[in-house]
Amino acid sequence: MRNLIYIIVLFYSLDCFGQFNLVPNPSFENYTSCPNTSGQLSFAFPWINPCAASNPDYFNSCSSLMSVPVCGGSYCFQFAKTGNAYAGLYTFDKQVSNVREYLQASLSSALVNGKCYYVGFYSNFANWTGKPSNNLGCYLSTNQISNPGPSYILNYIPQVKTFNNKIIKDTLAWQLIGGIFQSSGNEQYITIGNFNSDATTDTMTYNPSALYPSGAYYHIDDVF
């Protein structure tokens, strides 16, 4: 009888909690070309840079300069959360006003009005930068959002942010940034980054001896 109850519960769980990831190439494993310098996110198709001002990076173990886990010769180190690749972006830079980088991809199908989705990604702070920030999150939109001008910030309100909007400063473990989102219907794009201005972004001095102590740079992997 106990075994029968266990089997019934098991099948019920599988039915209720079956999942399908609507984010294509979620861990950036698939690529059109191996990255050989910075700013080549588009090699991890279909991920793109929605802003003209600054290009996010693509890291893959196939590369020499942008490799995983060691990149830039020796100045950075990070294993991927899954597989052999991940992306990277700036969320803050004390030396450059409102500098931002974003990752964007089209979902495999549009979201359904009224349904709830668990949305998120994993991130950690790059050990070669020294000023971690908060406000890292993602925004779901019906249309592709972009900023073709010289301004860095995408002025939208993300539906998902870090829990309690904390500053992420862990340079080793991958931190989950996720939450429940109720669709308004037909959201087709996911965009990741810091959508706040410098004035509304909290930072801290974490590693003043880092190679780039004024910046906040984050690795991104396993988007869902």
Side-chain angles (χ1 to χ4, degrees), residues 81-159:
K81 173 71 171 57
T82 297
N84 301 295
Y86 51 79
L89 53 76
Y90 275 100
T91 62
F92 178 85
D93 188 344
K94 187 178 180 180
Q95 302 300 316
V96 184
S97 177
N98 291 315
V99 66
R100 301 288 183 272
E101 291 179 342
Y102 300 91
L103 318 176
Q104 186 178 96
S106 175
L107 304 179
S108 58
S109 64
L111 305 189
V112 178
N113 178 37
K115 286 191 175 293
C116 291
Y117 297 85
Y118 187 38
V119 184
F121 56 93
Y122 287 84
S123 181
N124 60 32
F125 184 60
N127 62 356
W128 52 274
T129 55
K131 205 167 185 65
S133 74
N134 68 344
N135 288 328
L136 184 57
C138 60
Y139 177 69
L140 293 132
S141 58
T142 55
N143 298 310
Q144 186 175 2
I145 61 172
S146 63
N147 191 342
S151 176
Y152 291 98
I153 295 177
L154 290 174
N155 188 23
Y156 296 88
I157 300 175
Q159 296 95 339

Side-chain angles (χ1 to χ4, degrees), residues 1-12:
M1 184 64 177
R2 181 180 299 172
N3 289 340
L4 178 59
I5 292 173
Y6 175 77
I7 291 171
I8 292 172
V9 170
L10 175 62
F11 277 100
Y12 180 81

